[in-house]
Structures are given as structure tokens and as C-alpha cells.
Amino acid sequence: MKRLRRVLLELWAMLPVAAVVGFLGPFGTYLSGDFLLRAGRWWIMLMGAYILARPTLIAWRAIARATRLPRGSLVFWGMVASSFPMALIWRLVGRDEVRLLGGYAGLLPFTLLCCLLVMTIAWWAERADAHLLRYYDEHMGPASPFVSPSTDGAPPLTPMAGKQVRLHQRLSPAFTGPIIALESEDHYVRIHGPHGSELILMRLRDAIAEMDDVPGAQTHRSWWVAKAALADGESVGKGREIRLTNGLSAPIARDSLDRLRQTGFLPD
């Protein structure tokens, strides 16, 4: 549901963008027709660029998460570099559009601008979605506590042994189960649970504070992990990572390893 909301927000944002670009008529397209015709042509071209650029953006974000490199810089320069092969693809499949933009010389800056535009729209959609969820929580009531149905007559399970922390109130009703870990991503915090994750616009230290007194520790400058989320029998591997109960691996900072072992958070 979260992804569907953001896709709808991004597609909606493409409409006014196409209208503005069609009104301005860049790349010599101002005399190619009236306003509606220009806006329609630019909407088609922008949607074609969106179809190419959006999966590329997702791929660079995944690479940033896998490599632990700074997400903002890697995604930005990755999209800039990706604009060159994307321009070649567009040249092969969009012959009429290439002629409209004046060939490859006009297509390359167009593709670069489209990559930057898609990044901006995705950035706006994430923040708009976070504000919509916050508005829902404030005016429609916070997400109801998660209760899983019992299959053997036992009482239902609730997060953290029947306790809701303040951070749960920021999550959507689709987030079920206890909060396992917190991961910082630029100005956002990704909340990891047993069945998925959600992205919230806030600082990591504020998110940790809203975990109340749930036992846990900050294993890395960008990670906080609940004590109950450590997989049984797991120890820190050569890559200084610890496995969690939901299958994820949380990094352990070199200067935090001794501290985490001395406090009993990690096994010796």
C-alpha cells in the first residue's frame, strides 16, 4: 500500500510538471503547436523517461544500502552517470522524440534533466507520504495496536510482550509486529519489523527515544537494534555484522564491538 501511494503521488506530480514544461516549450518546442499539444507531447516524453529513470533510481538506492555508502551522493552521481546509457536507449526507441529535441545533442541534456526530475519527484513523494501519514495519525487516530490471531487458544500476541512504544504511533496500520531495528537513511529512519519496513521522516536519535525503555543498543552510527531481535546463537562475523530474527544483517561498528560485549548485548 505504501508503494502504491508513492507511485500515485509521483504520477500526479508528473501532470503539473508536463504542463509547466509544455508552457515554457524548451529545446525549441515552443513553436511545435499550441499549449495543449505541447503539454501532451511533453507528458508522453516525461512518462517515457520516468519509466526508465524510476527503476534506475531504485537500483542505485539498493546498491547504496548493500554497500553502506552514503545514499544521497551515490544515488545522485549514479543517476547522472546513468543518464548517458539512458539517452542511447531513448535514441533507439524514441525516433520522433529525438527529432523533436534536435537529435542526440539535445537528447542528452534532456535525459539528464529527467533523471534529476525523477529524483526530485521521488524525494517529494516520500515527504508528502510521510506528512499524509502524520496527518492521518493526528486527525484520524494513531494506528491501532497490532494483534495477531491466535491459532491454538493462546492469548493474542502484541508487540514487545503486549507493549506499544511511542514510535508505533507513527507507523501505518500495515506495519505489524514489534519494531526490530532502526536504520538511518539520510533524513529518514527505516523502521524494520518482522514482515517488512517503513520509512519515516525523523532523526535516528529521536526514533531511538521513542522506543521508550525497550532493551536495545546502537550498534552503528546508522543502526539501532532491539535486544530481542538478535537471532539465537548468532555471533559477530568477520564482516562485523549480526543476524536479526527477520533475516536482516545489522552492521557493528569497530569501536562499538567491545562496548556491546561488555554490556551483555552481544555474546563474548
Side-chain angles (χ1 to χ4, degrees), residues 20-142:
V20 171
V21 176
F23 175 77
L24 296 176
F27 300 101
T29 60
Y30 188 80
L31 300 178
S32 62
D34 58 12
F35 167 71
L36 292 179
L37 181 60
R38 294 196 309 269
R41 285 182 174 179
W42 275 107
W43 184 82
I44 293 174
M45 288 191 292
L46 290 175
M47 286 302 300
Y50 175 85
I51 292 173
L52 291 176
R54 193 62 176 92
T56 306
L57 177 63
I58 295 175
W60 281 112
R61 286 181 172 178
I63 293 173
R65 293 188 59 189
T67 59
R68 312 291 184 190
L69 294 174
R71 181 189 180 201
S73 299
L74 181 63
V75 171
F76 176 81
W77 291 111
M79 291 295 290
V80 170
S82 299
S83 64
F84 292 91
M86 288 172 59
L88 295 176
I89 295 175
W90 188 271
R91 186 181 184 184
L92 294 175
V93 301
R95 294 183 176 86
D96 294 338
E97 291 77 5
V98 172
R99 287 196 297 268
L100 182 64
L101 295 174
Y104 190 77
L107 183 60
L108 185 57
F110 166 75
T111 308
L112 177 59
L113 289 176
C114 285
C115 288
L116 299 178
L117 177 64
V118 169
M119 283 193 296
T120 303
I121 289 178
W123 173 83
W124 171 83
E126 290 178 353
R127 282 156 177 77
D129 185 45
H131 286 300
L132 286 174
L133 290 177
R134 188 174 300 173
Y135 177 87
Y136 173 83
D137 289 342
E138 292 176 354
H139 295 83
M140 305 296 291

Side-chain angles (χ1 to χ4, degrees), residues 145-228:
F146 167 74
V147 178
S148 62
S150 176
T151 57
D152 55 0
L157 298 176
T158 54
M160 295 301 176
K163 178 182 179 181
Q164 281 268 317
V165 297
R166 285 178 294 161
L167 192 57
H168 274 99
Q169 298 179 359
R170 297 180 180 270
L171 302 175
S172 69
F175 188 96
T176 57
I179 296 175
I180 288 179
L182 309 175
E183 179 185 3
S184 176
E185 295 185 6
D186 294 336
H187 301 293
Y188 288 83
V189 173
R190 184 171 295 278
I191 315 297
H192 293 284
H195 311 294
S197 65
E198 289 192 3
L199 206 60
I200 295 180
L201 180 61
M202 66 185 309
R203 295 177 298 184
L204 178 61
R205 62 181 181 182
D206 295 334
I208 295 175
E210 293 193 9
M211 286 300 295
D212 299 330
D213 56 351
V214 172
Q218 189 167 354
T219 62
H220 189 271
R221 63 183 178 85
S222 59
W223 277 79
W224 179 93
V225 177
K227 173 68 174 178

